[in-house]
C-alpha cells in the first residue's frame, strides 16, 4: 500500500519527466537511445499501481493461514488478472500524449487516440468480467459457473471482440495508417485472414460458454489473451529496436558530417595557394580512402535481422502457449524418423529422432543462414558506434564472427538430427584423403585467409603490390582476396599468395 501510494503521489512528476525527455528527442546532438529507455521505465511506473495492488492482494490471500477455498480461488484469480491488467495499463500509458509512442516511437496520433480510448473501455469491462467468470467456474464447478459465469463470459468476450473489430478496422482502425506497400508487406497481405480470426474467435467463445462449456472457454480465453500479450510485447520490442537503429544511424551520419567539415576546414587552412589554382584543386598524386560502410544497406540488414529474431521468438512463444490445447502438435513428437545412439553413464542407449527434431534442425539452419547474412551489419554498426576500430579491424571481427556462427550452427543442426562424431569419423577420414590429393590448395587458401585476418599483414583498404599489379584490398574472403586496381578492375588473388608469395 505504501509503494502504490508513493507511485500514485508521484504520477504528476513522472508525466512531467516524460515530457521533459521528449524535448531532447529528434535532435542529433542530444538524442540518445537512453532517453527512450528512461521514458519506458517511467511509463512502466505509470502503469504499475493498480496491477501491483491486485497482485499483492492475490499473493496475500494465497498465503493466509488457514486459507479457505474462497481465499485461494480469489487469490489465484487476482494474480492471473493482474498480468492482463498490467498489459492494458502499459498500452494505455505508452499511448499517452507526449509519451513513449508519440515522441520516441513516432506512432501516428490518430492511432494513439484510438488505442487510448479503446483500451480504457476494454480495461474497465474485461477485468471485472474475467475475474467474475473465473470465480464462478471455480466456486460452482458442478454447474460450470452457472448463469452468472455465462453472463460474465459473454461480457468479457464481447468486449474483446468489440476491441479487435474497432482497433483493427480496415478503414477506421490503426491498420489504415499502414496501407502502403512497403509497411509490413506480409502483415498486410494476410490481413483478410487474421482480422476475421481476431474478431470471430471471441464470438466463438461466447457460443461455447453459453452452451455450457465455460471451463473450456475460460482456458481458451487465457491462451487467446496470452497470445495478444505476446504480440504486444513483440510489437513494442520491434519499435524499440528500430528506434535504437534510427538513433545510431542518425548519430553516425551527424558525426560523419562533422568530420567531413573538420577535414575540409583543415585542408582549406593548410593548403598553400598557387597562382591560378584554387585551394582544394586537383593534384597529380592519387588518393585512396579507407572503405566506409553504407548506412542504408547496414540499416536494412539490421532491420531484417530484428524482424526475423522477433518472429522466431513469437513462433516459439505461440507454440508454448497453445501446445497443451492443440494436441495435434504432439504428432511431431510421436512420429519417429530414426534412432540415435547416446552414451548415458557409460552405457549406449537408443534415443528417437522425431519430426520435432527435424523441425528444430530446419529452424537452426534457417536461423544460422539469416545470422550469417544479417548479423555482420549489426556488428558493424555496434563496433562503429562503440569502439575506435578502423574499417579493416571491424571487417576482420565481423568475418571471424561469421565463421564462428557458421560452425556453431552446423554443430547444432547435426546434433539435433543425432549425428555425432562416431558417424562423422569415416567421412572425416575420407575428406582427409581428398584434401591430401585434390583439395589441398583450397584448404591452404582457407588457412591463409585465417592467418591474414588474425595476423593482419594486409587489411581492407591497404594499397598492395602483387606480382606486377598494384591495387587496393577491398574484400578478404574464405578462398581469395579481392584487389581493385587503378582501372577499377576486380582481381581475385588466392590468399596463399599473401602468406607464401611476394
Amino acid at each position: 500500500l505504501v509503494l502504490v501510494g508513493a507511485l500514485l503521489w508521484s504520477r504528476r512528476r513522472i508525466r512531467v519527466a516524460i515530457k521533459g525527455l521528449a524535448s531532447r528527442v529528434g535532435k542529433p546532438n542530444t538524442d540518445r537511445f537512453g532517453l527512450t529507455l528512461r521514458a519506458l521505465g517511467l511509463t512502466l511506473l505509470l502503469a504499475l499501481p493498480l496491477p501491483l495492488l491486485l497482485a499483492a492482494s492475490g499473493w496475500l490471500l494465497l498465503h493466509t493461514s488457514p486459507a479457505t477455498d474462497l481465499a485461494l480461488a480469489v487469490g489465484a484469480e487476482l494474480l492471473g488478472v493482474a498480468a492482463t491488467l498490467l498489459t492494458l495499463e502499459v498500452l494505455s500509458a505508452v499511448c499517452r500524449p507526449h509519451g513513449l509512442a508519440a515522441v520516441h516511437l513516432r506512432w501516428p496520433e490518430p492511432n494513439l487516440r484510438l488505442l487510448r480510448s479503446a483500451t480504457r473501455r476494454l480495461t474497465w469491462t474485461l477485468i471485472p468480467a474475467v475475474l467474475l467468470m473465473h470465480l464462478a467456474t471455480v466456486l460452482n464447478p458442478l454447474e460450470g459457473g452457472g448463469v452468472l459465469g455465462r453472463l460474465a463470459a459473454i461480457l468479457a468476450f464481447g468486449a474483446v471482440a468489440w476491441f479487435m473489430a474497432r482497433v483493427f478496422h480496415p478503414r477506421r482502425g490503426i491498420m489504415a495508417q499502414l496501407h502502403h506497400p512497403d509497411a509490413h508487406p506480409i502483415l498486410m497481405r494476410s490481413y483478410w485472414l487474421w482480422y476475421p480470426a481476431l474478431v470471430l474467435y471471441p464470438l466463438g467463445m461466447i457460443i461455447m460458454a453459453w452452451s455450457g462449456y465455460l471451463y473450456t472457454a475460460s482456458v481458451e480465453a487465457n491462451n487467446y489473451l496470452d497470445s495478444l500479450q505476446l504480440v504486444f510485447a513483440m510489437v513494442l520490442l520491434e519499435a524499440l529496436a528500430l528506434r535504437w537503429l534510427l538513433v545510431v544511424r542518425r548519430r553516425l551520419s551527424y558525426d560523419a558530417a562533422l568530420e567531413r567539415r573538420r577535414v575540409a576546414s583543415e585542408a582549406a587552412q593548410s593548403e598553400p595557394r598557387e597562382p591560378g589554382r584554387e585551394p582544394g584543386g586537383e593534384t597529380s598524386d592519387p588518393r585512396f580512402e579507407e572503405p566506409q560502410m553504407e548506412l542504408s544497406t547496414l540499416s536494412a540488414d539490421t532491420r531484417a535481422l530484428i524482424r526475423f529474431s522477433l518472429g522466431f521468438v513469437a513462433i516459439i512463444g505461440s507454440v508454448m502457449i497453445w501446445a497443451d490445447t492443440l494436441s495435434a502438435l504432439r504428432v511431431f513428437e510421436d512420429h519417429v524418423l530414426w534412432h540415435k545412439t547416446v552414451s548415458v553413464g557409460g552405457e549406449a542407449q537408443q534415443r528417437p529422432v522425431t519430426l520435432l527434431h527435424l523441425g528444430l534442425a530446419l529452424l537452426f539452419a534457417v536461423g544460422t543462414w539469416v545470422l550469417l547474412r544479417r548479423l555482420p551489419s549489426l556488428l558493424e554498426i555496434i563496433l562503429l558506434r562503440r569502439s575506435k576500430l578502423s574499417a579493416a579491424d571491424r571487417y576482420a571481427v565481423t568475418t571471424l564472427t561469421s565463421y564462428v556462427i557458421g560452425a556453431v550452427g552446423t554443430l547444432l543442426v547435426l546434433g539435433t538430427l543425432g549425428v555425432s562424431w562416431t558417424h562423422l569419423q569415416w567421412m572425416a577420414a575420407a575428406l582427409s584423403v581428398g584434401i591430401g590429393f585434390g583439395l589441398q590448395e583450397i584448404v591452404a587458401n582457407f588457412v591463409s585467409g585465417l592467418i591474414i585476418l588474425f595476423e593482419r599483414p594486409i587489411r581492407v583498404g591497404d594499397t598492395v603490390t602483387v606480382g606486377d599489379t598494384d591495387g587496393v584490398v577491398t574484400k578478404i574472403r574464405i578462398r581469395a582476396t579481392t584487389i581493385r586496381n587503378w582501372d577499377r578492375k576486380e582481381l581475385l588473388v588466392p590468399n596463399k599468395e599473401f602468406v607464401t608469395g611476394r
Side-chain angles (χ1 to χ4, degrees), residues 4 13 17 36 38 45 57 93 125 136 204 225 246 248 269 280 293 311 334 368 448 459 473 489-490:
V4 170
R13 287 191 290 180
T36 303
R38 289 172 59 185
L45 291 179
S57 302
T125 305
L225 294 177
L246 175 64
V248 171
Q269 294 176 3
M293 69 172 196
D334 298 337
T368 302
S448 299
R459 298 170 298 175
V473 177
K489 293 179 180 178
E490 297 260 335

Side-chain angles (χ1 to χ4, degrees), residues 143-357:
E143 298 182 6
V147 177
L148 182 62
R150 298 178 186 179
L151 292 177
I154 293 174
L155 182 61
F157 296 136
V160 173
W162 174 86
F163 178 84
M164 294 300 164
R166 180 71 182 88
V167 170
F168 296 102
H169 193 274
R171 290 184 298 274
R172 297 188 298 273
I174 62 175
M175 300 303 295
Q177 302 291 332
L178 301 178
H179 264 293
H180 53 87
D182 296 332
H184 306 281
I186 298 178
L187 191 66
M188 299 307 301
R189 291 170 186 169
S190 59
Y191 185 81
W192 61 273
L193 178 63
W194 58 263
Y195 175 66
L198 285 177
V199 178
L200 294 178
Y201 193 86
L203 298 179
M205 293 301 100
I206 292 178
I207 298 176
M208 185 177 294
W210 191 253
S211 301
Y213 299 96
L214 185 59
Y215 176 77
T216 303
S218 64
V219 173
E220 295 295 325
N222 287 335
N223 294 337
Y224 182 78
L225 294 177
D226 290 342
S227 300
L228 294 180
Q229 294 176 37
L230 176 64
V231 170
F232 172 65
M234 294 298 102
V235 170
L236 186 58
L237 287 176
E238 181 190 11
L240 291 174
L242 295 180
R243 157 72 179 161
W244 168 81
L245 183 61
L246 175 64
V247 170
V248 171
R249 179 177 179 179
R250 180 188 296 154
R251 186 65 186 180
L252 292 176
S253 301
Y254 181 72
D255 293 342
L258 291 180
E259 181 65 19
R260 288 194 300 269
R261 180 181 298 178
R262 183 188 65 81
V263 171
S265 177
E266 292 178 355
Q269 294 176 3
S270 61
E271 186 174 1
R273 290 176 177 267
E274 297 180 4
R277 181 169 178 260
E278 293 296 329
E282 293 293 334
T283 62
S284 59
D285 297 331
R287 297 180 181 179
F288 302 97
E289 297 181 355
E290 187 179 37
Q292 300 295 326
M293 69 172 196
E294 292 290 340
L295 281 178
S296 58
T297 303
L298 296 184
S299 299
D301 289 342
T302 306
R303 189 182 299 112
L305 177 61
I306 290 171
R307 289 180 175 174
F308 172 81
S309 302
L310 293 177
F312 182 81
V313 173
I315 292 175
I316 298 299
S318 300
V319 171
M320 294 176 63
I321 291 173
W322 293 93
D324 293 336
T325 303
L326 301 178
S327 58
L329 294 177
R330 298 174 186 171
V331 70
F332 296 105
E333 299 182 15
D334 298 337
H335 192 81
V336 179
L337 300 177
W338 60 80
H339 289 80
K340 61 180 179 180
T341 303
V342 297
S343 179
V344 179
E347 297 181 358
Q349 296 184 4
Q350 295 291 322
R351 297 290 177 85
V353 176
T354 63
L355 279 177
L356 179 62
H357 295 92

Side-chain angles (χ1 to χ4, degrees), residues 1 12-13 100 122 133 150 169 175 288 320 347 387 398 502:
L1 287 176
R12 184 176 179 276
R13 287 191 290 180
L100 181 67
L122 179 65
M133 178 184 67
R150 298 178 186 179
H169 193 274
M175 300 303 295
F288 302 97
M320 294 176 63
E347 297 181 358
S387 66
T398 54
R502 293 186 300 115

Side-chain angles (χ1 to χ4, degrees), residues 121-140:
R121 295 177 184 177
L122 179 65
T123 301
W124 296 109
T125 305
L126 178 65
I127 299 303
V130 168
L131 184 61
L132 185 59
M133 178 184 67
H134 285 289
L135 288 178
T137 306
V138 172
L139 300 178
N140 191 9

